[in-house]
Amino acid sequence: MAESRSLPTGFGEREVLAVGIVLLVEALIGLSLNGWSILSFCKNPELQTPGRLLVLSLALADSGISLNALVAATSSLLRHWPYGPDGCQAHGFQGFATALASICSSAAIAWGRYYDHCTRSRLAWNMAVTLVLFVWLSSAFWAALPLLGWGHYDYEPLGTCCTLEYSRGDRNFTSFLFTMAFFNFILPLFITHTSYRLMEQKLRKTGHPQVPALIAKMVPTINAVNYALGSEMVHRGTWQCLSPQRSERYRAQ
């Protein structure tokens, strides 16, 4: 049980408390920014496009990561894990599933932007919905495998949150880790890099060299700023959320 575990060498209650505070701040900022992105999408019809659906998927995934961090922050502030072994498995599954969904959503956004800017077609709703469903079903599938015996969730060294037990070196976990990493890290990174690279080449030929950032952002706060809150359309949606009367006049026009 995590309640009876001793802390790793070099860690005391102050260090655990500091970790809890950092996680709490990170979780609250991530929830606030991504929650505002989700609200803007729901409130502003202009944002409700197939491409923005992929951004919504990313915001939902990063909100899930922030919720996971909030649970870890709570247990860190309590100096122990209060939710028992079953809670540890649920926490590990939820955190891993949303982390994978965030990575794959970033790759989907990159591919969607390439499709919109570099082909003669536009991203359709049915294709965007299919991408989102695939991202979440695939993430849930890989996150469920440790619950079924391939891989393993366990307490992190501080004993205040749960994740994959990376310290295991047996064949079971090694085979899971390398297979999972190929499909959920290497492949999304390849898709992201290739999509932005091809888009850069296309835009250079057309005389418009500006392209989005190459690296897929995986930190919830950075994702919210980079993909959602940095958008002019989201700024407009935010203003409409804050000014309902102005929003009604805008739609009437």
Side-chain angles (χ1 to χ4, degrees):
M1 295 291 291
E3 291 85 343
S4 60
R5 283 191 171 192
S6 59
L7 293 174
T9 303
F11 285 88
E13 288 199 0
R14 289 184 179 180
E15 285 76 12
V16 176
L17 179 62
V19 170
I21 293 174
V22 172
L23 286 174
L24 180 61
V25 172
E26 176 187 346
L28 293 178
I29 293 176
L31 284 172
S32 299
L33 294 180
N34 286 288
W36 195 252
S37 300
I38 295 169
L39 180 63
S40 297
F41 179 89
C42 296
K43 285 284 189 178
N44 187 1
E46 285 191 57
L47 289 180
Q48 296 168 9
T49 64
R52 287 289 165 183
L53 181 65
L54 303 180
V55 178
L56 177 66
S57 174
L58 179 64
L60 289 170
D62 288 339
S63 296
I65 295 174
S66 297
L67 283 173
N68 191 271
L70 185 61
V71 174
T74 302
S75 59
S76 295
L77 295 175
L78 293 173
R79 276 53 158 214
H80 71 279
W81 177 260
Y83 308 109
D86 292 339
C88 176
Q89 297 299 303
H91 185 251
F93 169 81
Q94 189 270 342
F96 193 40
T98 51
L100 294 180
S102 177
I103 296 170
C104 294
S105 292
S106 296
I109 290 171
W111 183 87
R113 289 178 172 178
Y114 162 77
Y115 189 84
D116 272 344
H117 291 283
C118 301
T119 67
R120 296 181 179 179
S121 303
R122 301 289 292 179
L123 187 65
W125 274 106
N126 59 347
M127 187 177 297
V129 171
T130 300
L131 278 173
V132 171
L133 288 176
F134 176 80
V135 163
W136 284 94
L137 290 176
S138 173
S139 300
F141 168 77
W142 286 100
L145 290 178
L147 300 177
L148 302 175
W150 197 22
H152 184 67
Y153 293 121
D154 202 357
Y155 301 102
E156 290 190 348
L158 291 181
T160 56
C161 55
C162 298
T163 185
L164 286 174
E165 189 179 4
Y166 293 100
S167 61
R168 283 197 173 192
D170 56 21
R171 182 176 299 178
N172 175 282
F173 185 78
T174 302
S175 62
F176 168 76
L177 184 63
F178 279 95
T179 306
M180 179 275 300
F182 174 79
F183 287 103
N184 295 282
F185 292 97
I186 298 176
L187 190 57
L189 180 61
F190 173 78
I191 292 173
T192 302
H193 174 82
T194 303
S195 297
Y196 284 139
R197 185 66 177 173
L198 291 175
M199 190 160 66
E200 179 186 13
Q201 294 174 357
K202 177 72 173 181
L203 294 178
R204 279 181 177 176
K205 291 180 180 179
T206 58
H208 300 285
Q210 294 182 355
V211 295
L214 178 63
I215 301 175
K217 303 294 189 282
M218 291 178 286
V219 179
T221 301
I222 297 178
N223 275 336
V225 174
N226 185 44
Y227 287 112
L229 297 182
S231 167
E232 179 182 354
M233 293 180 66
V234 175
H235 291 165
R236 185 183 300 171
T238 298
W239 180 245
Q240 291 179 14
C241 291
L242 295 176
S243 306
Q245 295 179 351
R246 184 179 292 270
S247 176
E248 291 297 330
R249 290 198 300 269
Y250 177 83
R251 283 197 291 266
Q253 294 174 358

